[in-house]
Amino acid sequence: MEWFVFGVIVGAGGYGLAVWLRRTVVRITWYEWTLGVIALVLALLALQNLFASRAEMEDKAGWMGLLFLGLPAVVLAAIVGGLVWRRGTVAQAPKES
Amino acid sequence: MLRSALRHFGAATVGFVELDGHTEKLIYSVDPDGKQLVFSDVDQPSEDKTTRTIPMKAKWVVVYTVQMSEETLKRAPTFTGSQTTGLTYTRAANIQARLQEFLRGLGYMGLGEASTNALGIAPALGVMAGLGELGRINRLVTPEYGPMARVFKLVTDLPVATDGPIDAGIADFCRSCKRCAAACPSGALSMDTDPSWEVKGGWNNPGHEAFFEDSRLCRKFQREEAGTNCGVCFAVCPFAKKDESFMHGVVKATVASTPVLDGFFTRMDRAAGYGLKDPEEWWHLDLPEYGIDTTIGSRG
């Protein structure tokens, strides 16, 4: 069940990203893609570990996994988001004459 | 075929050992009930008041594990915790009877354990059958269930393909871990970093390298303080896990190939809160049948 939920979230997120990329002028570089994919994988592993640990009746292990895997995922996602947002701001800014 | 049959009867993992000049030493010369165990060049097995005779042609040992409930034994040292051990022996008696009938139907003999922990040295035969490694607790620690399985054996004349010892990094891990020895309420387990050839007393089987335990201290605690079987060492073992989280597979694979991270994994295991649990809480759990997950270790 958990993988179904993950699949729906990732699918919806991927669709949203594809729609946004088609509309925006911002281009995402290869290293931003790489960091983004790593962040996504880490986030999914953190969630899998959280749900699985709760099923194992080992809540503390689940929360620890969320901290050690989820936090780097959030940091990486923030870095990628920041890079893309900065470039987007620059791309949309009026050119000086 | 035997593996499939045994798993259907309720066994967890199955391995096979051929009895030769070396492995024959793992069969007891005297059973727990005092009867001699003798190999003889006869066609059929026999038993009288003093002796059980095993035909020489019965030279294969079927070794199998039966799962204990990890969630239950983590309530050690209590009656609640120890009943999963007793239940395992009860189930094993049933499995043995079915295996004997199965072999008889095929036209072969199945000479099982006449009483609890009879016939041979279970952990040693488990190691030789490739079911696990000898851990610091001086018992079999399996890759699938950790120490949460009991080992049983049966001698047969059905020729089988044999297995060999495995290296899953478990014995190496035990050198640095020591969680079981530190948690042992009686101090019976060795805190040495390396295993030794020197036995602690007559209760240990000599002739192999191991972390030998002081069984007197262990038994004294069980009889005089716990009032039941203990099992704390089993409960705190980092290999005693369910297998829902992907993390366990990653850790086991890493332990098998990268011993340098063993200490880190032990600290993480402790920090993550794995180990003993509240005995009262057990009564409010909704555990599966026998408290075990029978999908662990299946070949899919």
Side-chain angles (χ1 to χ4, degrees):
Chain A
M1 180 63 187
E2 72 206 43
W3 289 112
F4 173 74
V5 175
F6 295 163
V8 169
I9 292 169
V10 173
Y15 177 72
L17 181 66
V19 169
W20 179 77
L21 280 174
R22 224 176 264 177
R23 288 180 183 168
T24 185
V25 292
V26 180
R27 293 196 57 169
I28 299 177
T29 62
W30 67 268
Y31 56 85
E32 288 163 348
W33 277 114
T34 307
L35 290 177
V37 169
I38 293 171
L40 178 65
V41 170
L42 284 174
L44 289 176
L45 291 177
L47 288 173
Q48 196 280 336
N49 183 65
L50 176 66
F51 289 125
S53 295
R54 289 178 66 84
E56 290 178 356
M57 291 173 267
E58 302 287 356
D59 288 12
K60 192 178 175 188
W63 294 116
M64 259 186 72
L66 192 66
L67 181 69
F68 286 109
L69 294 167
L71 194 61
V74 170
V75 170
L76 283 177
I79 289 171
V80 172
L83 287 170
V84 173
W85 180 79
R86 268 183 59 188
R87 193 157 353 89
T89 310
V90 172
Q92 287 166 10
K95 286 183 182 173
E96 291 177 16
S97 55
Chain B
M1 186 172 68
L2 277 186
R3 277 196 175 93
S4 300
L6 270 166
R7 278 192 70 90
H8 189 68
F9 297 154
T13 49
V14 184
F16 304 98
V17 176
E18 184 170 0
L19 292 173
D20 55 24
H22 293 294
T23 51
E24 218 175 86
K25 295 172 190 167
L26 305 179
I27 301 297
Y28 292 138
S29 52
V30 181
D31 247 347
D33 61 2
K35 289 192 181 185
Q36 305 271 332
L37 280 175
V38 178
F39 282 92
S40 179
D41 195 10
V42 293
D43 188 54
Q44 290 297 317
S46 62
E47 178 176 358
D48 58 29
K49 285 184 178 174
T50 60
T51 308
R52 292 191 176 94
T53 303
I54 304 171
M56 301 273 270
K57 67 177 180 180
K59 58 175 186 176
W60 289 276
V61 188
V62 184
V63 192
Y64 52 98
T65 59
V66 178
Q67 264 199 86
M68 289 190 289
S69 168
E70 164 261 358
E71 195 59 41
T72 304
L73 196 49
K74 286 194 170 170
R75 271 70 193 180
T78 61
F79 282 106
T80 307
S82 69
Q83 55 84 23
T84 189
T85 310
L87 185 60
T88 307
Y89 283 105
T90 308
R91 289 176 57 220
N94 186 291
I95 293 167
Q96 176 176 290
R98 287 172 184 274
L99 177 59
Q100 286 172 318
E101 279 303 291
F102 183 73
L103 286 166
R104 197 165 70 93
L106 295 174
Y108 294 93
M109 62 183 72
L111 310 174
E113 299 174 64
S115 59
T116 304
N117 290 331
L119 191 61
I121 308 168
L125 286 164
V127 168
M128 295 306 291
L131 301 182
E133 295 182 56
L134 200 61
R136 180 174 291 277
I137 55 177
N138 206 15
R139 301 289 183 275
L140 190 76
V141 180
T142 68
E144 296 88 353
Y145 321 100
M148 293 298 177
R150 296 275 156 177
V151 187
F152 302 90
K153 54 276 177 191
L154 174 144
V155 173
T156 182
D157 58 340
L158 171 68
V160 288
T162 55
D163 300 287
I166 59 167
D167 180 3
I170 296 169
D172 260 344
F173 188 89
C174 288
R175 287 173 192 258
S176 62
C177 174
K178 302 180 183 178
R179 277 206 74 182
C180 55
C184 176
S186 66
L189 297 180
S190 168
M191 283 293 280
D192 296 341
T193 299
D194 294 313
S196 165
W197 290 86
E198 282 184 40
V199 297
K200 290 273 170 63
W203 53 87
N204 292 139
N205 293 297
H208 70 289
E209 204 174 24
F211 294 103
F212 290 109
E213 79 280 30
D214 191 333
S215 296
R216 292 170 305 181
L217 295 175
C218 177
R219 194 48 67 113
K220 187 171 183 287
F221 173 78
Q222 293 186 43
R223 292 283 163 84
E224 295 181 6
E225 293 186 52
T228 180
N229 277 359
C230 180
V232 166
C233 53
F234 283 59
V236 300
C237 177
F239 288 98
K241 296 275 191 301
K242 303 180 188 71
D243 76 342
E244 298 280 341
S245 171
F246 80 95
M247 195 75 84
H248 306 318
V250 172
V251 171
K252 284 179 191 175
T254 310
V255 162
S257 58
T258 320
V260 73
L261 292 173
D262 287 356
F264 168 73
F265 288 139
T266 304
R267 284 192 292 277
M268 289 301 286
D269 190 78
R270 201 178 285 117
Y274 289 109
L276 295 170
K277 294 184 178 180
D278 177 16
E280 281 301 313
E281 183 194 47
W282 185 86
W283 297 99
H284 305 288
L285 301 177
D286 185 18
L287 295 177
E289 290 160 51
Y290 298 119
I292 60 173
D293 178 358
T294 56
T295 62
I296 301 175
S298 74
R299 289 163 284 152

